[in-house]
């Protein structure tokens, strides 16, 4: 399985976690532009909408990054922990050797929907 297919699988796994309301590209345009300045033009290639989790094999290691939005109905740290566990489980099945580092960032906590009084 290539890294794009792995990233697609990981993106689907993150979206399936209860409490996750969105998945953002782990490499926003500013980061991609910075990578271009430091490295080469292919780093500017932005992922497809179904490939939002980043799998980076640079420097002899495997680093997986994800940015998520979570519902405010449950503590963000609980959702973050479950996402990390889900990523680690999916990675153990898909990546050999498994990832050296998994980074998940909560980029937005959405207010829970409250019924009108």
């Amino acid at each position: 399985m290539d890294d794009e297919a792995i990233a697609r699988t990981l993106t689907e796994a993150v979206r399936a976690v209860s409490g996750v309301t969105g998945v953002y590209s782990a490499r926003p345009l500013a980061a991609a532009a910075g990578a271009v300045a430091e490295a080469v033009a292919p780093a500017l290639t932005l992922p497809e909408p179904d490939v939002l989790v980043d799998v980076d094999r640079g420097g002899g290691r495997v680093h997986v990054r994800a940015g998520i939005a979570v519902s405010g109905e449950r503590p963000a740290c609980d959702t973050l922990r479950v996402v990390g566990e889900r990523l680690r489980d999916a990675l153990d099945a898909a990546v050999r050797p498994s990832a050296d580092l998994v980074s998940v960032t909560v980029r937005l906590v959405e207010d829970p929907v409250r019924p009108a009084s």
Side-chain angles (χ1 to χ4, degrees):
M1 186 181 302
D2 68 7
D3 286 351
E4 185 173 333
I6 292 168
R8 183 175 293 110
T9 298
L10 297 176
T11 300
E12 291 170 9
V14 170
R15 284 185 173 137
V17 172
S18 175
V20 172
T21 59
V23 181
Y24 300 107
S25 174
R27 290 187 176 239
L29 184 57
V36 168
E38 294 176 13
V40 293
L44 185 57
T45 302
L46 297 175
E48 295 295 320
D50 62 341
V51 182
L52 299 171
V53 174
D54 183 53
V55 177
D56 179 9
R57 293 183 187 264
R61 61 172 174 63
V62 179
H63 183 183
V64 173
R65 290 185 295 257
I68 61 173
V70 298
S71 169
E73 293 176 357
R74 87 188 250 202
C77 59
D78 290 350
T79 304
L80 188 62
R81 179 185 46 77
V82 173
V83 168
E85 290 171 355
R86 186 76 50 91
L87 284 171
R88 181 61 70 185
D89 290 345
L91 286 163
D92 287 346
V95 178
R96 295 288 178 242
S98 189
D100 298 303
L101 180 62
V102 175
S103 303
V104 183
T105 304
V106 175
R107 294 178 55 188
L108 175 68
V109 177
E110 296 184 4
D111 286 333
V113 177
R114 295 190 174 123
S117 324

